[in-house]
Amino acid sequence: MSGWVTDYRTTAASQVLWWCVFCSTRNSIMSVESKKPREACCSKLKLFLASLAFVYFAKAFGGAYMKSSITQIERRFDIPSSLIGVIDGSFEMGNLLVIAFVSYFGAKLHRPRLIGIGCLIMSVGCFLIALPHFFQGPYKYETSVSHSTAFNSSESALPCHSNHSLTDADETPDLEARTACEKAAGSSMWIYVFLGNMLRGIGETPIMPLGVSYLDDFSREENTPFYLACIHTVGILGPMFGFMLGSLLAKIYVDIGFVDLVTITINHKDSRWVGAWWLGFIVTGTVILLSSIPFWFLPKSLPKQGQEESQSKSTELATVAEQENFLQEENQDEEKEKPVTFQELAKDFVPSLRRLFRNSIFTLMILTYLVAVNGFIGMITFKPKYMEQIYGQSASKAIFLIGILNLPAVALGIITGGFVLKRFKLGVIGAARVSITASVGSFCLLAVQGFIHCDNAEVGGITISYQGAPQVSYNPQTLLSECNMGCSCSMKHWDPVCAYNGMTYASPCLAGCQTSTGTGREMVFHNCTCVGEMMTPGINSSAVLGQCPRKSDCDRIFKFYMALSVVGSFISACGGTPGYIVLLRSIQPDLKALALGMQTLIVRTLGGIPPPIYFGALIDRTCLKWGTKQCGGRGACRLYDANAFRLTFMGLVTGLYFLSNTLWAGLYVKIVKRQKKLALRNQAKENALEGNDVGNGHANINIAKNKDDTDKESTI
């Protein structure tokens, strides 16, 4: 036996084991000497904390990449913003299916393993989202030149004269031909994305309620805010990497490796461009799969942090000092733990819900979060498109800036809020003050952003007339003018060209271009009659592929907008952790997991599903030029009315945040009143205790409740 021990101790694993034994022995001796419990070097709680932080990173990584790919998915499947909103909301729909049962029954079961199962489901969902790419054929964008021009030929395309056949595209194909075409093109493949995103929502369900309640149950009360801040800070790195990955893949053509990129006439700045969106879901699915591994090796329960395992039960009530001071007593018989059946758990579900929603503080907080999340989800879903249409940024650059500027500011704000709570030892009132101050500050900066904008893009016949005058309204007939009347151009195609006069035309044909040279993205169109109308004779009347850049002052305006956006993100995030602590301290300990689950259920159902849909539907109403599907019919929007888009988008977001701040003010007043009421009640109990049990040397305190204190509300 001694020889076996000697051999075993020589291994690396045994060295780690002996080091943990040594640390535990040393800490036990020191705790006896100092009469204070000390933590072990190899704490399972710390392992859970690290694992939970990583899974927060992984799920945020996948969620942010999904948000960053919204524009690419919309273009790839040629669907409107309202439908892409439904796809985006399918994540919350998945949550809705299981969140109530997972958060309630999961609290009684093996929480770490349930989190591991959820990660596996999320991973499968990511792989399912990427599946349509392998079933669909190559992406065919609408164009008037690329698919009809022989790139290896020396003959020049004649845009104006060769477009007589394009009028056929304006005719609606019969139903049978359109059905056959859609089947061949796989236009209904977006259903796979919908189902995969729903699976992501189902798998993400147990992570937050079970993870946070597990951590709060077994950590010191004063450490909980800091641990939560650390988890959320690590978690916010996920969106950073998600948006950066989305930005990188948005520059890579969707069919990379399957097509000759020389034949592609568009670049990543074009509204028809589709990046390699599918590749990112394979990456995120793999990361989420790896994050599930540690949870299979964690125990169902742990000893309370800083206390001996044998004392964990006897000190259970002493670990919630602040919470007990702000929570009313309930008539609950303290019984020894015993196995409970599924039927008993189900029978207690409705009474537990009733107890939970009698808590007016909790109910008002849920309503406040609900309104704020509506504004946030709508804003983050369509913010890249907003930056694209208002400031002329490419989709990849907009995604990159959000990931590299806004999200680090959010991370810094979250850790700052947690540090402030721990440094100044703020209670519930202090946490509420920090949260409402941050909310008001971010709202003010958000309101200012609504007034910062660039002018509409100058597109001939759509936002500006061919003579250069601003155009009040648009209809397809305004695309025709004397300069292109003889070309018989299609008014459905969107194949923009930028002329040397700084104006964009919807297609080379509508610009009246007579000849062209070059191939692919290097194609140049010459003798454009519409361009020549606005220029003096002899000046270059050529045009190149792509939209014209915005005016020079737009870059300066955009930098100012981004500065306000970053500062606003930081201030808003500072209130995140304090607001979460107010929520946690407003709930009875035995209802904590259920309360967090119900909060997730309500906020994600009413705050996660509707916003992308109604934001998208209202944004669609500001579209000026719709694309055309391969099989005919309306596709994705190519150009928006920038002013109408801005007023609709920023008006909705600002209005929702204003309502959220109003609710926060009412919540704060209610918390202060409740705190004063409970302070008076505790003082009365102390006076009664001094008169009744002066000589009692034990800690047994029996205080009879007054009949007037029949308020069953669980308060902070």
Side-chain angles (χ1 to χ4, degrees):
M1 174 64 75
S2 60
W4 178 84
V5 172
T6 303
D7 293 339
Y8 182 74
R9 291 178 61 182
T10 59
T11 64
S14 65
Q15 291 176 18
V16 175
L17 178 63
W18 280 95
W19 174 249
C20 289
V21 172
F22 168 74
C23 289
S24 300
T25 306
R26 184 195 64 183
N27 287 335
S28 299
I29 295 172
M30 293 179 66
S31 64
V32 170
E33 293 177 352
S34 62
K35 297 182 180 180
K36 291 184 179 180
R38 300 290 296 271
E39 297 174 38
C41 294
C42 301
S43 169
K44 289 183 179 178
L45 182 66
K46 291 179 180 177
L47 175 60
F48 179 82
L49 178 65
S51 303
L52 190 63
F54 181 45
V55 81
Y56 260 67
F57 166 85
K59 76 181 184 68
F61 181 42
Y65 182 74
M66 180 68 192
K67 291 291 185 185
S68 70
S69 301
I70 285 295
T71 302
Q72 311 301 321
I73 295 172
E74 178 182 348
R75 294 172 181 174
R76 180 63 182 95
F77 297 99
D78 256 334
I79 53 180
S81 297
S82 54
L83 183 53
I84 203 68
V86 174
I87 293 174
D88 186 64
S90 63
F91 180 86
E92 278 69 29
M93 295 176 192
N95 267 262
L96 172 63
L97 293 176
V98 294
I99 183 64
F101 298 100
V102 167
S103 57
Y104 179 71
F105 296 112
K108 317 292 183 182
L109 303 175
H110 200 300
R111 286 178 280 186
R113 287 185 184 173
L114 285 177
I115 294 174
I117 293 171
C119 292
L120 289 178
I121 297 174
M122 287 181 68
S123 180
V124 172
C126 289
F127 295 140
L128 183 61
I129 292 174
L131 203 58
H133 172 75
F134 302 98
F135 292 159
Q136 286 181 301
Y139 171 56
K140 294 183 179 180
Y141 51 90
E142 55 173 324
T143 178
S144 59
V145 292
S146 65
H147 301 308
S148 59
T149 304
F151 288 93
N152 295 327
S153 173
S154 60
E155 296 180 5
S156 298
L158 304 176
C160 179
H161 300 296
S162 66
N163 273 267
H164 288 285
S165 59
L166 291 177
T167 53
D168 298 336
D170 292 340
E171 299 177 5
T172 304
D174 58 57
L175 182 61
E176 184 177 349
R178 184 170 177 176
T179 303
C181 177
E182 289 179 351
K183 186 176 181 180
S187 59
S188 61
M189 287 291 181
W190 60 266
I191 296 174
Y192 284 91
V193 181
F194 178 89
L195 295 176
N197 203 34
M198 182 177 286
L199 274 181
R200 284 185 57 249
I202 293 173
E204 196 263 355
T205 302
I207 294 174
M208 193 280 290
L210 301 188
V212 172
S213 63
Y214 188 93
L215 185 68
D216 194 47
D217 285 345
F218 303 119
S219 65
R220 286 198 187 101
E221 182 186 353
E222 63 269 21
N223 287 344
T224 301
F226 184 70
Y227 287 162
L228 289 177
C230 289
I231 289 172
H232 287 292
T233 302
V234 174
I236 206 65
L237 296 175
M240 287 175 56
F241 282 89
F243 275 95
M244 291 175 69
L245 179 64
S247 174
L248 173 66
L249 296 180
K251 292 183 179 180
I252 300 175
Y253 191 65
V254 60
D255 293 318
I256 182 74
F258 297 95
V259 298
D260 184 4
L261 297 182
V262 177
T263 64
I264 304 301
T265 61
I266 57 177
N267 58 28
H268 68 278
K269 297 181 180 181
D270 197 287
S271 61
R272 295 163 294 169
W273 175 272
V274 176
W277 60 275
W278 53 275
L279 187 57
F281 288 106
I282 296 177
V283 174
T284 56
T286 304
V287 173
I288 294 171
L289 185 62
L290 293 175
S291 71
S292 69
I293 296 175
F295 293 98
W296 300 100
F297 304 99
L298 286 164
K300 181 179 179 181
S301 61
L302 296 170
K304 189 74 176 180
Q305 188 183 35
Q307 298 178 3
E308 296 296 331
E309 187 172 359
S310 60
Q311 298 175 340
S312 61
K313 183 180 176 183
S314 61
T315 57
E316 190 172 317
L317 295 176
T319 59
V320 287
E322 181 188 3
Q323 190 164 353
E324 281 189 341
N325 289 336
F326 214 77
L327 282 167
Q328 280 192 315
E329 299 171 2
E330 293 190 2
N331 291 326
Q332 298 177 1
D333 296 331
E334 295 186 15
E335 301 177 354
K336 294 182 179 181
E337 285 190 21
K338 60 180 182 180
V340 290
T341 64
F342 182 83
Q343 289 80 4
E344 290 174 342
L345 291 176
K347 184 178 179 181
D348 190 48
F349 182 66
V350 175
S352 297
L353 278 180
R354 191 179 299 115
R355 284 176 55 208
L356 181 63
F357 284 101
R358 280 178 181 168
N359 184 344
S360 60
I361 299 284
F362 173 77
T363 304
L364 192 55
M365 282 209 72
I366 293 298
L367 184 60
T368 305
Y369 276 129
L370 180 60
V371 176
V373 168
N374 264 265
F376 174 77
I377 293 295
M379 178 175 64
I380 198 65
T381 302
F382 295 104
K383 187 168 185 175
K385 179 177 285 190
Y386 179 80
M387 294 164 66
E388 215 180 331
Q389 295 294 327
I390 305 302
Y391 301 103
Q393 306 298 316
S394 67
S396 60
K397 184 177 180 181
I399 295 167
F400 177 78
L401 290 176
I402 292 173
I404 205 67
L405 295 178
N406 288 88
L407 295 180
V410 171
L412 183 61
I414 290 174
I415 195 66
T416 300
F419 175 77
V420 168
L421 286 183
K422 186 175 177 64
R423 173 67 178 80
F424 297 101
K425 298 180 180 179
L426 298 178
V428 176
I429 299 294
R433 286 172 180 166
V434 173
S435 190
I436 192 172
T437 301
S439 182
V440 172
S442 63
F443 167 75
C444 293
L445 291 177
L446 184 66
V448 174
Q449 293 173 33
F451 296 97
I452 302 172
H453 63 92
C454 298
D455 294 332
N456 258 330
E458 295 184 349
V459 182
I462 299 180
T463 62
I464 192 171
S465 69
Y466 283 96
Q467 289 72 37
Q471 195 156 293
V472 178
S473 61
Y474 162 74
N475 63 72
Q477 297 302 321
T478 60
L479 288 171
L480 298 178
S481 178
E482 292 182 2
C483 61
N484 58 28
M485 193 66 71
C487 294
S488 301
C489 304
S490 169
M491 292 180 287
K492 287 189 176 181
H493 275 92
W494 176 255
D495 194 18
V497 293
C498 177
Y500 280 86
N501 61 1
M503 183 185 292
T504 300
Y505 297 89
S507 71
C509 180
L510 289 169
C513 300
Q514 306 297 318
T515 60
S516 69
T517 57
T519 59
R521 297 175 190 171
E522 306 302 322
M523 189 176 293
V524 180
F525 302 92
H526 305 284
N527 301 323
C528 303
T529 55
C530 293
V531 177
E533 275 193 352
M534 292 185 59
M535 304 178 69
T536 56
I539 302 298
N540 194 340
S541 60
S542 301
V544 295
L545 288 170
Q547 285 185 245
C548 294
R550 299 293 181 93
K551 294 179 180 178
S552 58
D553 63 338
C554 190
D555 287 336
R556 176 180 55 82
I557 295 172
F558 177 67
K559 291 176 182 177
F560 187 46
Y561 162 80
M562 284 304 302
L564 288 176
S565 177
V566 170
V567 175
S569 298
F570 170 77
I571 295 175
S572 178
C574 285
T577 303
Y580 205 70
I581 291 301
V582 173
L583 178 66
L584 284 176
R585 297 294 174 255
S586 70
I587 311 162
Q588 287 289 347
D590 61 312
L591 295 177
K592 194 174 297 179
L594 176 63
L596 293 176
M598 292 307 299
Q599 181 233 7
T600 305
L601 169 67
I602 295 171
V603 171
R604 285 195 169 170
T605 302
L606 301 178
I609 299 175
I613 299 174
Y614 67 75
F615 266 77
L618 292 173
I619 288 172
D620 279 342
R621 296 175 65 89
T622 67
C623 182
L624 291 176
K625 184 70 176 71
W626 290 96
T628 304
K629 289 185 178 181
Q630 181 181 344
C631 304
R634 195 175 77 174
C637 185
R638 305 302 186 194
L639 182 70
Y640 292 87
D641 182 341
N643 289 325
F645 190 142
R646 174 177 57 86
L647 293 174
T648 300
F649 180 75
M650 294 304 298
L652 274 174
V653 174
T654 306
L656 289 168
Y657 271 83
F658 176 78
L659 181 57
S660 173
N661 278 284
T662 304
L663 291 171
W664 249 122
L667 178 63
Y668 176 74
V669 171
K670 192 170 184 63
I671 290 174
V672 171
K673 287 182 179 179
R674 185 61 51 80
Q675 179 77 351
K676 291 180 180 178
K677 178 181 177 182
L678 292 178
L680 293 173
R681 182 178 298 165
N682 291 336
Q683 185 178 1
K685 287 181 180 179
E686 289 177 3
N687 294 336
L689 177 62
E690 290 177 1
N692 294 332
D693 293 326
V694 174
N696 190 356
H698 300 282
N700 296 327
I701 301 174
N702 294 320
I703 301 176
K705 279 192 172 184
N706 297 326
K707 292 183 179 180
D708 295 337
D709 284 343
T710 56
D711 182 13
K712 296 293 183 180
E713 225 176 52
S714 298
T715 57
I716 302 175

